[in-house]
Amino acid sequence: TIATSPDFPPFEFLDENGNVAGIEIEIMNLICQELGVELVIEQMNFDSVLPGVQAGKYDVGVSGISVTPAREKNTLFTDPYCLAAQAIVVLNGSPITCKADLEGKTVSVQTGTTAETYCMENGYKVSSFTANADAEAALVAGKVDAWVIDDLTAAEMVAAYNEDHPDAPLVILDEAMTTEPYAFAFAQGNDDLVNKINEILEGLLADGTIASIFAQYNAPYTAP
């Protein structure tokens, strides 16, 4: 059973039939096939994913989860399958053109994400929201000066917004807030299972399968 928040396109999202789909779901399906087990998906808010895994309610957490020293204290991670960045999104015409311009400004983030942790730990004024859609709405409404979010999810959500609002588009800055590895999360003590999955991931990385999955979703891919 995997715990996921379908609020991270293209990693996880709800398709036209209401089913959870996305890059990580594709990868987990391949892993489950190799392990000979059935993939069962449980949806929840992002900030419930890691606590649920740590408590043993779910076998694995997948939701564009960044590996950080703080998380590694309570969570066992697989090897990374990609590198991602936290993007800075602003309104078109904003005076904010780089990371340095955020000093003294307020940023919106999703609760429980590394974007939230990084911004708080580095002294930014932070407004946290349960869903990225709400963090985006806060920027559009002018309640915050910028929105910090995973770069791949930012690309998809911003493209969708700009298609509907061509006269007032959102802009992703060239400079990222930070760069980080993404992996799958397990409860401590599952070393044997994680080692098996690492072997599978190594093969999927080596033969280009993971890169091809990113390509299917028109998502840029940076190998770990």
Side-chain angles (χ1 to χ4, degrees):
T1 301
I2 69 169
T4 184
S5 173
D7 187 36
F8 284 87
F11 291 100
E12 282 88 27
F13 59 90
L14 296 179
D15 64 17
E16 61 274 9
N17 298 316
N19 299 314
V20 181
I23 291 171
E24 289 187 317
I25 303 304
E26 300 269 2
I27 296 173
M28 284 306 306
N29 270 317
L30 294 174
I31 290 172
C32 288
Q33 288 174 19
E34 287 290 327
L35 294 174
V37 298
E38 179 185 358
L39 180 66
V40 178
I41 301 172
E42 294 284 345
Q43 302 174 41
M44 63 202 67
N45 291 331
F46 179 81
D47 58 357
S48 298
V49 172
L50 285 180
V53 170
Q54 293 161 358
K57 294 180 179 179
Y58 317 104
D59 299 299
V60 55
V62 302
S63 272
I65 300 175
S66 306
V67 181
T68 67
R71 287 175 173 172
E72 286 182 306
K73 292 179 181 178
N74 301 305
T75 309
L76 182 63
F77 288 95
T78 63
D79 293 335
Y81 65 87
C82 80
L83 295 180
Q86 292 297 328
I88 302 168
V89 184
V90 298
L91 296 172
N92 187 44
S94 170
I96 298 171
T97 60
C98 63
K99 182 177 176 179
D101 291 339
L102 290 174
E103 184 176 356
K105 301 295 192 297
T106 302
V107 300
S108 61
V109 297
Q110 185 179 33
T111 303
T113 61
T114 50
E116 180 185 52
T117 301
Y118 180 88
C119 291
M120 286 182 170
E121 290 181 348
N122 286 274
Y124 296 98
K125 298 177 183 178
V126 176
S127 290
S128 301
F129 299 87
T130 301
N132 266 318
D134 296 327
E136 177 188 57
L139 173 62
V140 172
K143 296 179 179 179
V144 299
D145 302 290
W147 168 33
V148 181
I149 174 180
D150 165 79
D151 59 346
L152 295 180
T153 304
E156 184 154 327
M157 293 184 71
V158 167
Y161 177 88
N162 289 350
E163 185 175 350
D164 294 333
H165 305 84
D167 296 330
L170 297 177
V171 176
I172 300 174
L173 300 187
D174 291 335
E175 182 180 7
M177 181 68 88
T178 183
T179 302
E180 53 204 23
Y182 275 17
F184 301 124
F186 291 78
Q188 297 282 7
N190 285 293
D191 300 77
D192 289 343
L193 176 57
V194 168
N195 287 336
K196 291 179 182 177
I197 291 176
N198 282 339
E199 291 179 6
I200 297 170
L201 283 174
E202 183 179 359
L204 296 175
L205 287 166
D207 67 9
T209 297
I210 289 180
S212 69
I213 291 173
F214 274 73
Q216 289 173 25
Y217 287 87
N218 297 314
Y221 176 68
T222 301

